[in-house]
Amino acid sequence: MSIATERPNPPEADPAAAAGPPRERQRFSGSGPLRQIQVLSGRSLRALREPALVLPGVLEPILMLTVFSQVFRSVSQAQSFPAGVSYIDYLLPAFLITSAVSAGLKSGVALTTELNNGIISRFKSMPIHTGTILIGRSVADTVLNAVNMVVMLVAGALVFGFDPEGGILGSLGALLVAVVLGWSLGWVFMALSAWLRKPEAMQPVGGMVNMVLLFASNAFVPTDGLPSWLRAFAEVNPMSHAITAARSLALGEPRPGTVLMTLGICTVMVAVIAPLAIRNFRKAS
Amino acid sequence: MIDVSHISKRFGSMTALDDISLTVPRGSVLGLLGHNGAGKTTLVSILSTLSRPTSGRARVAGLDVVTRGEQVRRLIGLTGQYAAVDETLPGRHNLILIARLLGATRAEAAARADELLALFDLTDAGHRNAKNYSGGMRRRLDLAASLVGRPEVIFLDEPTTGLDPAARRQLWEIVERLVKDGTTVLLTTQYLEEADYLADSITVLAAGRIIASGTAAELKERVGRRSVSVTLRRAEDRARTVEALRRAALAPSHEEDGLLLTIPVADSTDVAVVVRAVDEAGTDIAGLAFSEPTLDDVYMALNHPTTTDSEAGTSS
Ligand SMILES: Nc1ncnc2c1ncn2[C@@H]1O[C@H](COP(=O)(O)OP(=O)(O)O)[C@@H](O)[C@H]1O
Ligand SMILES: [Mg+2]
C-alpha cells in the first residue's frame, strides 16, 4: 500500500495528516472471545508444567488428610456416626468439597493480586473482551482443581485406604460435584475480588467467607452433633448440600435429589454472579 | 494525535486532575513531568481507557476515549508504572501471549516475539522466567509487550523510575527508535533530564494542574541554567577565586561567609572552564560538582511548592 511508505511530516506542520486515517501499519486482525479464553486459560495452566507451582496445591490437601484422619479418627466412635462406614470413606468426599472452597478462594485472591500488579491493566487496555479475562481464569482454575482432586482420590485410595461402597464411579461422581462447586465458588470469590480490589480488603473478607462455609457445615462432623443454632445454619449452607451429595455418591447410597439440587444451586449461582463479577470488573474507575 | 480538553478527575472530594488541556501532534513526544501524586498516572489511565474522566473530553486519533474506547484500544500501547509482566512465564511467552490475544497465529506470534526480543536485547533471556529478570530487563520486556500490536500511540508511565543510569540510557534509546518509526508517545517522568532528552514538548503537572508547558528549551530558560558548584577549603581563597572566575566570563555567587561557590553554566563543557579558572587562582578546593536542574528547580522557578510525598501532593 502506497500510504505505508510515506513518512510523517514534522509534527508542527501536520494538521491534515492528523485528521486523516492512521498511517497504515501491519496490524494483527484481532481475536474472538473463544480464542481469548483459550489463550488466557492456557496462560494460567502453564503452571501445571512447573512442579514448584503445582506441588503445594497437591501436598496441602494430602497433609491435611493425614492430620484429619489421625486426629478425628475418634469421631467415628461417636454415636451419631453412620454405622459400618470407615472414617476415611466418610471424610474424603467432604475433603474434596472443602478443597473446592479453598480453590475458589485462591481464584479470588489471585485475581486481586493481578488487579494490583498491572497485568490486568495491560489486558484492559487491549482490544479484548474484559469478561474473557475472568472466564479464562475460571476455566484454568477449574481444570487445576479437577487435577488436584484426582490426585487426592488416588492418594486417598493408595495411602489412606479409601475404598467406599460407591466404588470408582461413585468417587468420580463425588469429584464432579466438588469440581462444579469449586467452579461456582470461584465466581463468588472473583466477584468479591472485582468488588473489593485491594488485597487488604480481599484477604480478611475472603478468609471469613471461607471460614463460614467450611465450619458451619457437615464437613467434619455430622450436623446432629452441633448445637442447634449452628445446625440451623449448617443445614442451609450450600456446602452441606454439596457434601451430602458427594458423600451419598461415594458411599454408594446416591441421593439424586440432593445431587441435582447441588448442581442446580451452583449453576444458578454462576448465572447470577458471573455477569455481576464481569460488570464490576469491567467498570472503569 | 492525542487531544485532551478540560479533563478533570475527582476521587470523592479529592481532585486528582483539574481542568487539563493538552495536545500531542502525531509522531511527537510529550513529556508529562511531575512529582508523585501530581496526577500523571490518572491522566494516562484516562487516555488508555482504564478510567473515566469526571468531566471534559479526551480523544486519541480523533476517537473519544469514553465512547469509542473499543477502537481506541486497537491503536494504543500502555506501559504502566509497574511492569505488567506475567512472572510465571518466560519473557518470550509473555510476548507470544499478547500477540495471540491480538489475533496473531502461533507462527506470527512467535516471529513477532523473537523480533521484539532481539530489538530489546532480550534474546538470551527470552526463555527464562520473567521473575528472574533484573529491573531493567523487566521494564524492557514490559515495553516490548506494549509494542506487540505496533500501536500508533504509546503511553509510558514513568518508564525509568528505579533504573540505574545504564538501564535508563538503554530505554531512552528504544524510545528514540520508536519515535523514528512515527509512533506518538506520551511519557510521564519525575526527571527533567529525561523529559529534556526525549520529549518534543513538556507539560509540568503539580497537584493535578498544569503549571507550565512548552519545549524543553523554553522550560529550561525559565528554570535557569545548569550550574557548577565549587567548595573551597579556606575562606581566604574566596576573593581570589571569584576574581579568576569572573575573568573567565563566569558569574559565581556565594553566601556571605560561605565556602560554596555556585557558578551558572551553559552546559557540561563549561566545567573545564571552571576548573581552569580555579587552577589559575591556585585555590585548594574540597569539591566540585556539576548539576543539572531537577524537577525541584522547575517547581521552585515556577513558584510552586515542592512536595515529594504523594499524600502531601494531593491537596490543591
Ligand atoms: N483510585 C484512587 N482513589 C483515590 N485517590 C486516587 C486514586 N488514584 C489516584 N488517586 C490520587 O490522585 C492523585 C494523583 O495520583 P496519580 O495520578 O497516581 O499521581 P502520579 O502518577 O503523578 O504520582 C494522588 O493524590 C492519588 O493519591
Ligand atoms: Mg504515577
Side-chain angles (χ1 to χ4, degrees), chain B residues 11 14 16 35-42 81 310 314:
Chain B
F11 295 106
M14 203 238 118
H35 272 319
N36 266 337
K40 304 182 296 297
T41 300
T42 304
Q81 187 168 354
S310 69
T314 61

Side-chain angles (χ1 to χ4, degrees), chain A residues 7 14 17 22-23 25-28 30-31 35 39 43 46 50 118-119 122 124-127 284-285, chain B residues 9 26 51-52 73-74 78 84 86 89 93 97 100-102 104 129 142 145 150-152 180-181:
Chain A
R7 284 286 308 151
D14 192 27
R23 230 161 45 93
R25 287 186 178 225
Q26 240 185 307
R27 196 181 294 290
F28 298 121
S31 59
R35 158 73 76 79
V39 173
R43 165 179 91 102
R46 274 192 62 90
E50 238 195 275
I119 201 153
R122 147 125 332 121
K124 283 173 129 186
S125 74
M126 288 172 59
S285 52
Chain B
K9 175 74 177 180
R26 180 189 299 273
S51 157
R52 287 159 179 269
R73 287 192 280 274
R74 289 178 206 284
L78 169 66
D86 188 330
L89 296 182
H93 278 268
L97 170 82
R100 294 280 288 152
L101 285 175
L102 291 173
N129 272 4
D142 192 34
R150 301 185 179 85
E152 302 275 336
K180 273 205 206 94
D181 283 348

